[in-house]
Amino acid sequence: MDTLKLTFEGNIALISFSRPQALNALNLQVFTELNKVLDELESNKQLRAVILTGEGKAFVAGADISEMKDKTPGEARVFSQIGHDTFNRIENFSVPVIAAVNGFALGGGLELAMACDFIIASDKAKFSAPEVNLGLIPGFNGTQRLPRAVGIGFARYMLFTAQMIEATEALQRNLVQIITTPDELLNKTMEVAITIASKGPLAIESVKKTVNYGQFNGYKEGSHYEMKAFSENFHEQGKEGMSAFLEKRKPNWN
Ligand code: CO8
């Protein structure tokens, strides 16, 4: 793998984008390698969470402009589809995926972070949708995910002005959920992932699916889905979790 690194801490996977010469910009090779890693992680039944981060001063500085420049409209459509499919895969991944945003999350990098379940950012992180600077628009679902994250008005402001948002403002706007110092970013993110990994694995998968279902299908459909999903959690792990509480012991999810 040339453009990213995969490491593990226990049952948590850390994917680090590593193309420092292009601030980790997303080209076809990155997408191919990222999908290969996701294939591998998908078959790992011990896995409990995934963290995405970037090496150097960027999380991901967007789609690779030098690779995109000569694309025809048809090729741009195919590239957009690859981005949509990959980010949808992350959004629907069976375990939580957390973005640990260390630096620039711009354009496709912002879209990637928003496809994750939530974002933990260094106080040096910067966020922007700069596509209009290039005469483009977001092509990896940023036009849909950004308004849902920050509200329609602020999304329009970001999309029309390409303004760079500091981490503190991103926190106030609900784009980011937690801020840390740069040195603490990975430790803090790992701590959150370990907390998630200690919960009922089937319940985590189920609650992620249920929240997403409501996001994609609306409140009413989501409510119905929740009743069905709630009842489905009365399996062995649900029984074990409730028994452990009543018996004042730690649950054994296995
Ligand atoms: N693509 C390719 N190369 C990049 C990118 C990028 N997105 N960003 C940075 N680089 C390269 C620079 O060209 C530079 O290369 P070199 O050293 O060979 O000149 C190297 O990375 C370092 O960058 P800088 O020297 O510019 O570093 P600075 O610290 O001065 O600036 C910035 C950092 C502010 C992040 C600056 O690099 C920048 O503005 N980058 C471009 C950010 C951008 O516009 N991103 C959006 C791209 S469009 C997009 O993401 C749309 C997604 C949907 C696509 C749909 C498909 C059809």
Side-chain angles (χ1 to χ4, degrees):
M1 221 84 73
D2 294 331
T3 66
L4 44 86
K5 293 175 184 157
L6 173 64
T7 53
F8 289 91
E9 195 166 315
N11 50 13
I12 293 154
L14 174 69
I15 300 173
S16 307
F17 293 94
S18 179
R19 286 189 76 215
Q21 72 282 11
L23 302 187
N24 303 330
L26 302 167
N27 60 11
L28 272 175
Q29 190 185 358
V30 179
F31 278 115
T32 304
E33 295 187 352
L34 180 56
N35 275 293
K36 249 189 214 158
V37 166
L38 294 175
D39 288 343
E40 183 185 328
L41 295 179
E42 225 161 38
S43 61
N44 179 344
K45 296 299 166 218
Q46 301 308 314
L47 190 74
R48 293 292 170 262
V50 178
I51 298 171
L52 296 187
T53 196
E55 286 188 354
K57 66 178 176 184
F59 173 68
V60 167
D64 190 309
I65 300 166
S66 53
E67 191 183 81
M68 272 198 308
K69 188 179 76 63
D70 294 324
K71 285 193 190 301
T72 63
E75 289 166 341
R77 175 75 172 77
V78 170
F79 191 48
S80 177
Q81 183 77 56
I82 291 169
H84 273 249
D85 291 348
T86 308
F87 292 2
N88 288 344
R89 200 175 171 193
I90 287 170
E91 187 166 57
N92 294 307
F93 208 66
S94 60
V95 299
V97 183
I98 309 169
V101 176
N102 48 300
F104 294 111
L106 312 180
L110 171 64
E111 293 172 298
L112 171 60
M114 290 190 298
C116 296
D117 287 287
F118 53 86
I119 301 176
I120 301 181
S122 138
D123 55 21
K124 296 279 183 292
K126 292 181 196 303
F127 300 84
S128 162
E131 288 87 351
V132 292
N133 289 336
L134 305 168
L136 301 175
I137 72 165
F140 299 150
N141 223 3
T143 58
Q144 305 308 303
R145 287 201 177 100
L146 191 58
R148 285 166 172 77
V150 301
I152 188 75
F154 197 69
R156 286 184 179 127
Y157 169 76
M158 286 182 73
L159 291 163
F160 298 172
T161 66
Q163 186 69 37
M164 193 93 83
I165 304 300
E166 303 286 333
T168 43
E169 175 146 29
L171 182 72
Q172 286 160 8
R173 301 282 180 185
N174 293 326
L175 183 58
V176 160
Q177 282 62 57
I178 299 173
I179 292 188
T180 72
T181 62
D183 286 350
E184 270 306 302
L185 176 66
L186 282 185
N187 283 344
K188 178 65 194 175
T189 311
M190 194 54 78
E191 188 187 303
V192 173
I194 289 168
T195 300
I196 292 169
S198 71
K199 311 302 179 193
L202 294 176
I204 292 289
E205 184 177 351
S206 174
V207 74
K208 174 169 173 165
K209 260 193 202 157
T210 306
V211 169
N212 280 354
Y213 193 90
Q215 287 290 306
F216 304 142
N217 297 289
Y219 184 90
K220 208 168 165 190
E221 292 290 322
S223 298
H224 283 290
Y225 189 91
E226 186 197 78
M227 282 189 270
K228 179 176 154 283
F230 177 74
S231 65
E232 286 168 0
N233 277 282
F234 281 67
H235 44 49
E236 237 173 86
Q237 284 187 3
K239 299 288 185 205
E240 166 61 12
M242 291 186 282
S243 301
F245 173 80
L246 295 172
E247 293 161 19
K248 302 189 189 306
R249 61 173 174 83
K250 273 196 168 168
N252 175 6
W253 302 122
N254 299 321

